[in-house]
């Protein structure tokens, strides 16, 4: 899905349509044949299917996110049983420019929607509320709560949650404590302070050591938003075409990796021709248009000149 899309210097690409994707398939095909990849990987679609392999010692490596590696059961087990490794690459010194979820790139794709029954006066109220969530006062209220109740200002003037939330004496989790006094970032689009809840819930090993490894060999990162909006006039056709492309690609990739299909010049050309026949070129064009609109969006709508200057809104 979204992970198959990326951009380089403003140009959008669909990974399976690029020649470099063949190198990826060749590498994983080799690893699978050598028994280095779970022989049933294609049938394990959830974390529930994957995690037991690691905890039972049946797998030496697994792809996890920041939250997973700081779970209680992983931290209370033998501390030396897991270590972060870099994303696989062809050469030891290859530079990474595409990534997701590391310390340099944490985003929230939350959105706010209204129904057709919403009257015009209510729309105005909703928009003013949404604007407030991106002001300094809105940021403090939604992310930290009320001063003297859930947080205090430290000597540097930065808001800090009280210890009864971060280290609850009754055993309540940090997440539960935060939800009692603040808004979770997935409830609405807002000025999201990720460091408020992510580092506070993580061990030094998970937050510091892992970041050092995952951020290594990273230059000129090419960030790509995961919530681009396809133009309404093309959305229905885009959805239909890309669903067909994605279904075909997912099935073909598995067949290539497990060796069910040969991977040679002829089969690669056939693969490329099929995704073109299914409409990937138009899908790429519509994604490019969506990305161009994303880059050209007005980030300062709803704010006064004084707010823009005070909050440095134009830099976000």
């Amino acid at each position: 899905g979204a992970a198959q899309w990326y951009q380089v210097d403003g140009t959008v690409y669909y990974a399976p349509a690029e020649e470099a994707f063949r190198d990826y398939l060749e590498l994983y095909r080799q690893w699978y044949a050598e028994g280095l990849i779970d022989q049933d990987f294609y049938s394990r679609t959830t974390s529930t299917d994957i995690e037991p392999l690691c905890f039972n010692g049946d797998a030496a490596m697994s792809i996890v996110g920041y939250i997973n590696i700081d779970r209680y059961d992983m931290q209370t087990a033998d501390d030396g049983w897991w270590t972060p490794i870099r994303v696989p690459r062809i050469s030891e010194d290859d530079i990474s420019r595409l990534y997701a979820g590391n310390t340099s790139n944490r985003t929230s794709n939350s959105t706010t929607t209204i129904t057709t029954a919403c009257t015009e006066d209510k729309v105005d109220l909703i928009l003013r509320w949404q604007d407030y969530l991106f002001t300094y006062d809105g940021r403090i209220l939604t992310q930290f709560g009320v001063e003297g109740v859930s947080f205090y200002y430290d000597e540097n003037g930065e808001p800090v949650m009280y210890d009864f939330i971060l280290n609850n004496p009754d055993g309540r989790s940090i997440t539960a404590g935060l939800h009692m006094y603040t808004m979770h970032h997935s409830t609405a689009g807002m000025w999201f302070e990720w460091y408020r809840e992510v580092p506070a819930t993580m061990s030094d090993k998970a937050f510091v050591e892992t970041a050092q490894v995952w951020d290594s060999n990273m230059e000129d990162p090419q960030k790509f938003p995961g919530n681009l909006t396809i133009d309404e006039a093309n959305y229905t056709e885009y959805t239909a075409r890309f669903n067909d492309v994605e279904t075909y690609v997912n099935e073909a990739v598995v067949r290539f990796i497990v060796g069910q299909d040969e991977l040679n010049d002829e089969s690669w050309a056939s693969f490329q021709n099929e995704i073109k026949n299914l409409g990937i070129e138009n899908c790429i064009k519509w994604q490019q248009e969506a990305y161009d609109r994303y880059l050209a969006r007005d980030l300062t709508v709803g704010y006064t000149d004084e707010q823009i200057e005070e909050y440095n809104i134009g830099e976000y």
Side-chain angles (χ1 to χ4, degrees):
Q4 299 171 6
W5 295 97
Y6 67 97
Q7 66 86 21
V8 176
D9 298 331
T11 300
V12 175
Y13 297 92
Y14 179 62
E18 298 302 310
E19 188 64 29
F21 191 73
R22 180 176 176 177
D23 296 334
Y24 157 82
L25 290 177
E26 293 279 10
L27 181 61
Y28 277 71
R29 182 185 177 92
Q30 174 187 336
W31 286 351
Y32 184 85
E34 294 174 353
L36 299 176
I37 295 179
D38 174 22
Q39 301 295 286
D40 297 317
F41 73 90
Y42 47 83
S43 64
R44 305 187 199 278
T45 58
T46 68
S47 59
T48 305
D49 300 325
I50 299 172
E51 288 175 357
L53 298 178
C54 297
F55 286 99
N56 296 336
D58 294 328
M61 180 180 72
S62 178
I63 299 176
V64 299
Y66 268 113
I67 302 302
N68 301 76
I69 60 177
D70 211 53
R71 290 182 351 186
Y72 178 79
D73 51 3
M74 295 190 74
Q75 293 305 315
T76 54
D78 176 11
D79 191 55
W81 83 284
W82 69 273
T83 185
I85 62 174
R86 293 191 300 174
V87 174
R89 62 198 72 200
I90 300 297
S91 173
E92 172 71 17
D93 299 322
D94 281 351
I95 300 300
S96 297
R97 292 185 172 86
L98 306 176
Y99 59 86
N102 67 355
T103 54
S104 305
N105 178 33
R106 297 196 67 90
T107 61
S108 172
N109 292 331
S110 303
T111 58
T112 300
T113 60
I114 59 176
T115 70
T116 55
C118 190
T119 59
E120 185 174 348
D121 61 314
K122 292 180 180 177
V123 172
D124 178 68
L125 180 62
I126 291 171
L127 291 177
R128 284 190 284 124
W129 160 248
Q130 193 73 60
D131 280 348
Y132 173 74
L133 299 183
F134 286 91
T135 65
Y136 180 81
D137 289 343
R139 164 211 170 200
I140 295 298
L141 179 62
T142 58
Q143 299 296 289
F144 296 94
V146 177
E147 183 182 5
V149 177
S150 57
F151 82 95
Y152 63 94
Y153 287 99
D154 64 14
E155 62 275 11
N156 298 317
E158 293 296 326
V160 179
M161 306 302 295
Y162 278 124
D163 195 58
F164 74 85
I165 295 178
L166 302 180
N167 298 286
N168 187 266
D170 299 323
R172 183 187 298 120
S173 70
I174 296 177
T175 300
L178 290 173
H179 286 185
M180 291 179 64
Y181 296 94
T182 67
M183 289 177 60
H184 190 269
H185 62 272
S186 65
T187 59
M190 63 176 65
W191 187 346
F192 174 44
E193 301 285 349
W194 72 268
Y195 65 79
R196 177 207 64 166
E197 65 183 61
V198 177
T201 65
M202 300 174 68
S203 65
D204 287 342
K205 181 177 183 180
F207 185 62
V208 179
E209 179 181 338
T210 302
Q212 292 172 343
V213 173
W214 287 355
D215 285 353
S216 64
N217 282 51
M218 179 69 65
E219 293 181 10
D220 188 24
Q222 302 285 321
K223 299 179 181 180
F224 188 72
N227 57 341
L228 293 181
T229 303
I230 303 298
D231 186 79
E232 185 177 358
N234 302 317
Y235 181 77
T236 300
E237 185 176 359
Y238 168 84
T239 301
R241 291 190 179 214
F242 188 65
N243 281 345
D244 290 342
V245 170
E246 188 174 33
T247 298
Y248 169 74
V249 167
N250 289 342
E251 294 174 352
V253 164
V254 170
R255 292 197 302 270
F256 280 136
I257 291 177
V258 304
Q260 183 176 340
D261 289 350
E262 292 295 326
L263 183 55
N264 50 38
D265 291 345
E266 182 179 353
S267 62
W268 177 250
S270 176
F271 173 76
Q272 291 296 304
N273 287 335
E274 183 59 21
I275 60 176
K276 288 180 181 178
N277 291 337
L278 292 172
I280 191 59
E281 291 178 332
N282 276 332
C283 291
I284 294 173
K285 181 185 72 172
W286 293 327
Q287 279 278 7
Q288 182 69 62
E289 292 171 353
Y291 186 60
D292 291 341
R293 287 194 300 273
Y294 171 84
L295 294 179
R297 71 198 189 285
D298 186 353
L299 297 179
T300 63
V301 171
Y303 297 96
T304 64
D305 291 340
E306 290 76 14
Q307 288 174 320
I308 293 171
E309 180 177 356
E310 180 179 358
Y311 307 138
N312 293 321
I313 293 172
E315 296 182 5
Y316 290 88

